[in-house]
């Protein structure tokens, strides 16, 4: 598959008076077999807005992406002859055979422009914690409704040969036989297939430093702890807090092998690292005693500005702050903070920048909320008032229809502007602001 080059888009503008090159709608049968539905165009959804997908507004399915069947749901498609949207509970070519929507889970670096269009069947359960991008069939392959924001191949599994992972595992086992964090990462790399852990053992890019068992938020879509019946976690939380020494050993081993590498606290397999800020602080001081190389990064809910300040004073280089929305009402409805408020998060951003740190937003995207005029204008105000260097665009892993409904209860959500418009307007209004997916090394701050 041809990959996009930086600065160039695979999307092309549809010229006036040309028949749109609709993508065929995708559907799956009860056995999970995926097929196209000729005569029906695939549809993308953003809140109430439905848009037929075309070749011009989509890209070839990015490498590493996966197609998924949506259980208990009915596909929404565009009838090309009648020019109407309709729901198709049964296969129109095999009456009586139920069909299900097919969505795409896009690889890192690609932001969902639209989500898969569907309706729930009566009694439908929650969708598992993934993002559900819109996809269709055209030009001889699957195509995806996405915008590429990062071209780095940090999590491209083709660059992580298994033999190199195993070599790294053996090498670090011998070097740190008693280190529990090394042992935890071994499980992540060999059993869970975590690309961040594999990168540690290979010695490339960014290494993870999971450390916290607890969190002071209860995010609706937390992938490592769920109390909601019907939603299961896809990651197991770390069951211990490593010692500063264990963290230092792993971090410095990585930085020594990858001098411009990144080591990051705050992973999918933990709570929030600020819950163990004292351990982090000691380990950062120890790492910096041993090496001035590498970038020490914190991925966090940024709920404790005082601790954020202490960590930057100890040698932390950057922070990535997670937010689903810059509107307090929507943030609170999703993060359900316990013992802190949205103001603490914004204070952490100020403190980090005051200390000379690099600040990124981990901005959780769901078309229909993220691209509403209300959210976009709030984001522009937020960026004018707060020192943010980079937006790391992440697709929200949560049932999209239910998320939109919860966000509507929290605040108003008007007709979506379109994610492509949001991104292009942000680039115009904030030319110094960067956009990407991965945590940058400080050489690229
Ligand atoms: S901040 Fe992270 S660890 Fe805490 S509840 Fe949210 S997703 Fe889970």
């Amino acid at each position: 598959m041809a990959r996009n080059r930086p600065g160039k888009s695979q999307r092309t503008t549809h010229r006036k008076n040309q028949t749109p090159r609709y993508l065929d709608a995708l559907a799956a049968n009860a056995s999970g077999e995926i097929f196209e539905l000729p005569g029906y165009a695939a549809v993308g959804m953003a809140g109430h807005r439905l848009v037929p997908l075309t070749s011009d507004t989509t890209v070839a399915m990015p490498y590493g992406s996966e197609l998924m069947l949506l259980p208990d749901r009915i596909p929404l498609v565009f009838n090309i002859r009648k020019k109407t949207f309709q729901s198709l509970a049964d296969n129109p070519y095999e009456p009586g055979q139920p069909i299900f929507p097919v969505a795409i889970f896009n690889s890192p670096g690609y932001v969902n422009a639209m989500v898969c269009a569907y309706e729930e069947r009566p009694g439908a359960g929650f969708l598992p914690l993934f993002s559900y991008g819109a996809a269709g069939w055209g030009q001889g392959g699957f195509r995806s409704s996405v915008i590429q924001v990062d071209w780095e191949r940090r999590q491209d599994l083709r660059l992580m040969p298994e033999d190199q992972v195993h070599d790294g595992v053996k090498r670090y086992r011998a070097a740190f036989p008693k280190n529990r964090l090394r042992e935890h990462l071994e499980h992540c790399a060999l059993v869970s297939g975590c690309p961040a852990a594999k990168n540690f053992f290979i010695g490339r890019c960014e290494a993870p430093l999971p450390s916290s068992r607890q969190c002071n938020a209860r995010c609706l879509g937390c992938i490592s702890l769920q109390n909601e019946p019907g939603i299961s976690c896809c990651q197991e939380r770390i069951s211990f807090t490593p010692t500063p020494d264990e963290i230092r050993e792993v971090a410095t081993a990585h930085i020594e092998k990858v001098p411009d590498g990144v080591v990051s606290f705050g992973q999918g397999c933990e709570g929030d690292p600020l819950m163990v800020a004292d351990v982090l602080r000691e380990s950062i001081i120890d790492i910096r005693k041993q090496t001035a190389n590498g970038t020490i990064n914190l991925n966090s809910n940024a709920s404790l500005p005082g601790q954020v300040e202490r960590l930057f004073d100890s040698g932390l280089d950057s922070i990535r702050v997670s937010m689903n929305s810059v509107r307090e009402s929507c943030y609170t409805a999703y993060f359900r903070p316990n013992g802190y408020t949205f103001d603490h998060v914004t204070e952490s951003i100020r403190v980090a920048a005051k200390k000379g740190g690099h600040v990124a937003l981990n901005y959780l995207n769901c078309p229909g909320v993220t691209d509403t005029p209300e959210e976009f204008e709030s984001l522009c105000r937020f960026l004018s008032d707060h020192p943010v260097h980079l937006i790391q665009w992440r697709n929200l892993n949560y049932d999209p229809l239910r998320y939109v409904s919860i966000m509507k209860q929290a605040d108003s959500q008007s007709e979506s502007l379109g994610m492509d418009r949001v991104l292009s307007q942000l680039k115009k209004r904030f030319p110094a602001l960067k956009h990407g997916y991965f945590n940058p090394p400080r050489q690229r701050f």
Side-chain angles (χ1 to χ4, degrees):
M1 183 198 68
R3 284 183 73 87
N4 222 352
R5 290 214 315 271
K8 297 229 171 173
S9 171
Q10 281 176 283
R11 295 162 160 256
T12 50
T13 314
H14 171 63
R15 277 179 233 106
K16 276 185 187 160
N17 305 324
Q18 245 184 4
T19 311
R21 293 188 293 165
Y22 291 123
L23 300 189
D24 284 342
L26 297 174
N29 62 20
S31 326
E33 288 162 340
I34 293 173
F35 44 88
E36 69 265 39
L37 297 170
Y40 298 92
V43 174
M45 178 170 75
H48 283 308
R49 186 166 160 244
L50 297 176
V51 179
L53 302 185
T54 65
S55 291
D56 299 331
T57 56
T58 54
V59 305
M61 178 172 165
Y63 177 84
S65 306
E66 287 181 42
L67 295 170
M68 299 174 293
L69 169 161
L70 275 58
D72 307 335
R73 277 137 182 101
I74 300 170
L76 286 177
V77 297
F78 182 69
N79 186 316
I80 296 172
R81 190 173 55 80
K82 295 184 182 166
K83 302 260 177 295
T84 53
F85 293 100
Q86 66 182 91
S87 53
L88 279 184
D90 286 353
N91 187 337
Y93 303 107
E94 284 185 50
Q97 293 301 312
I99 53 173
F100 301 88
V102 172
I104 183 166
F105 183 75
N106 286 293
S107 359
Y110 292 87
V111 179
N112 287 344
M114 305 211 86
V115 295
C116 170
Y118 65 88
E119 285 173 354
E120 291 188 1
R121 292 177 195 260
F126 265 98
L127 286 173
L129 294 176
F130 294 108
S131 63
Y132 295 88
W137 178 269
Q139 296 182 275
F142 294 109
R143 296 185 68 81
S144 176
S145 170
V146 278
I147 303 161
Q148 191 168 11
V149 290
D150 206 315
W151 282 260
E152 192 183 327
R153 297 175 69 189
R154 194 176 296 192
Q155 293 198 349
D156 188 330
L157 290 171
R158 290 171 294 189
L159 302 179
M160 303 174 197
E162 283 304 309
D163 56 334
Q164 287 186 27
V165 177
H166 283 281
D167 286 351
V169 165
K170 273 191 222 144
R171 195 172 53 248
Y172 286 138
R173 250 185 218 169
F176 319 122
K178 295 201 173 125
N179 188 314
R180 294 170 305 158
L181 179 56
R182 185 267 311 150
E183 203 178 329
H184 173 84
L185 294 179
E186 245 183 66
H187 185 84
C188 300
L190 301 180
V191 180
S192 315
C194 169
K198 287 185 180 189
N199 275 339
F200 165 64
F201 289 108
I202 293 176
R204 65 186 292 273
C205 308
E206 178 174 353
L209 303 173
S211 42
S212 172
R213 286 173 291 172
Q214 281 154 351
C215 189
N216 54 352
R218 288 185 304 123
C219 291
L220 294 174
C222 182
I223 55 172
S224 63
L225 189 69
Q226 280 291 330
N227 296 319
E228 184 70 46
I231 304 187
S232 49
C233 303
C234 48
Q235 297 234 8
E236 207 179 312
R237 263 196 194 173
I238 192 164
S239 58
F240 63 97
T241 297
T243 62
D245 227 32
E246 287 171 316
I247 295 172
R248 178 196 50 79
E249 274 185 346
V250 168
T252 52
H254 187 69
I255 293 171
E256 272 158 15
K257 194 145 196 281
V258 193
D260 61 348
V262 181
V263 289
S264 280
F265 299 105
Q267 300 295 321
C269 59
E270 64 173 314
D272 195 277
L274 286 178
M275 299 294 96
V276 289
D278 287 342
V279 175
L280 267 52
R281 186 170 167 272
E282 215 178 303
S283 68
I284 293 170
I285 291 170
D286 290 350
I287 295 166
R288 282 297 171 234
K289 274 185 197 155
Q290 206 168 319
T291 175
N293 288 334
T295 303
I296 308 177
N297 173 63
L298 172 72
N299 303 320
S300 172
N301 62 20
S303 55
L304 304 173
Q307 298 293 13
V308 168
E309 182 161 18
R310 290 175 73 227
L311 293 179
F312 275 102
D313 282 340
S314 316
L316 186 70
D317 296 297
S318 57
I319 185 167
R320 185 181 85 197
V321 179
S322 286
M323 282 186 183
N324 65 314
S325 168
V326 290
R327 288 178 285 170
E328 181 166 6
S329 48
C330 298
Y331 175 88
T332 306
Y334 179 79
F335 272 76
R336 301 186 294 177
N338 181 9
Y340 76 96
T341 67
F342 187 69
D343 285 346
H344 292 99
V345 180
T346 55
E347 179 56 18
S348 289
I349 291 175
R350 277 192 210 97
V351 162
K354 188 182 81 189
K355 292 287 168 185
H358 181 269
V359 179
L361 286 191
N362 188 38
Y363 195 40
L364 304 172
N365 162 51
C366 181
V369 174
T370 313
D371 58 352
T372 57
E374 294 91 339
E375 179 69 18
F376 175 65
E377 287 307 327
S378 304
L379 178 61
C380 290
R381 277 195 299 278
F382 187 90
L383 292 170
S384 301
D385 294 346
H386 299 87
V388 174
H389 303 103
L390 164 72
I391 296 183
Q392 290 176 244
W393 293 89
R394 303 287 169 118
N395 295 318
L396 179 80
N397 288 335
Y398 198 72
D399 190 312
L401 274 184
R402 296 190 183 196
Y403 179 67
V404 170
S405 157
I406 294 164
M407 290 301 112
K408 275 188 175 159
Q409 287 167 34
D411 212 327
S412 65
Q413 317 288 341
S414 309
E415 171 104 356
S416 83
L417 300 166
M419 286 303 299
D420 43 2
R421 222 167 124 197
V422 164
L423 269 150
S424 64
Q425 284 295 314
L426 281 177
K427 285 174 188 171
K428 274 193 197 134
R429 289 207 206 177
F430 302 93
L433 176 70
K434 293 184 180 164
H435 302 268
Y437 181 91
F438 297 110
N439 292 317
R442 62 185 177 190
Q443 290 79 357
R444 298 213 307 260
F445 284 174

